[in-house]
Amino acid sequence: PLTRPVLDTPAVAELILDRAQEAGHAKVFPIGALTKGLAGEQLSELVALRDVGCVAFGNGLATFASNRVQRRALEYAATFDLTVVFHSQDASLAEGGLAHEGPTASFLGLAGIPETAETVALARDLLLVEQSGVRAHFSQITSARGAEMIAQAQARGLPVTADVAMYQLILTDEALIDFSSLYHVQPPLRTRADRDGLREAVKSGVISAIASHHQPHEPDAKLAPFGATEPGISSVELLLPLAMTLVQDGLLDLPTLLARLTAGPARSLRLPAGRLAVGAPADVVLFDPQASTLAGETWNSKGDNCPFIGHCLPGKVRYTLVDGRVIFQA
């Protein structure tokens, strides 16, 4: 897998932001590590990381040493009004799992990851959010039950938002039937009922953001037998065309979809982005909804681990502008 730095010191954050500014092709808003080395024990320099440009903090799928440590971390973040990003998955329930625990995994002989790996961790995290008062964003929700729990927390007035991976709105665990490692993701693809529940949550706004959850890998990472491959899909280049399939299929209207790709993510992390207004940065994508994109015809990512390559998808980007500068033209 392609290596990524652990963003737990101001120097690393500054390096990332300097390189992004030097390239000038996109706005980069880094998320800092909540604990040093993502070890779940000692807090990172959160305030210093915020001051150099980190917009939120999280620990990924790495676990905390204890619920007590997690509680203290959230209380500290709340003191400084920092946003914490959660990837709720119980490590012990998910340990050794490769696919959603259900008929497909049983038929294929794959170790399962139950829905409760998400919902048990989510219940704990929501309770700690309520106790600490921290602003929370839940990333990569995969189950209908998880989306319901987010809705209930929002109804109680908790400062909680959520996102879903684009591919979770399209694929289900049935895609694994041929053991293709391109569908090996973590957290796993779940059932049709879960996919439908996630779609409804996106439509209603309970899930306010759709993300690519781009995870590129070198070719060798996907060549081993399914269980020995690295999880993840390289998908950022197809985020808009894949999203347009939801409009094409009548699942979302275009304004709602665009809000979940722009304003929704920006509001979740309180970013100065995602809107068109006088005086706002001219960060704009101009696309033709009537045209089509052949996935993989042009490919810039170092990872080509994408099951959608070769598919003809609706919509085609014509121009991309950053701060009013054209940085891409079809």
Side-chain angles (χ1 to χ4, degrees), residues 221-285:
K222 289 288 188 179
L223 293 181
F226 188 93
T229 60
E230 293 290 338
I233 290 177
S234 179
S235 55
V236 68
E237 295 179 61
L238 298 177
L239 178 60
L240 180 60
L242 287 173
M244 287 296 293
T245 64
L246 301 177
V247 175
Q248 186 181 64
D249 295 341
L251 300 169
L252 290 176
D253 59 58
L254 186 57
T256 298
L257 175 70
L258 295 180
R260 303 295 180 263
L261 294 173
T262 56
R267 281 196 297 267
S268 295
L269 298 180
R270 295 183 287 178
L271 303 178
R275 64 191 183 96
L276 293 175
V278 175
D283 301 329
V284 184
V285 173

Side-chain angles (χ1 to χ4, degrees), residues 178-201:
D178 293 325
F179 288 101
S180 172
S181 61
L182 293 177
Y183 298 101
H184 181 196
V185 294
Q186 189 66 261
L189 300 172
R190 298 201 183 273
T191 67
R192 290 192 181 195
D194 287 310
R195 182 188 63 182
D196 293 345
L198 294 172
R199 288 173 171 178
E200 284 300 316

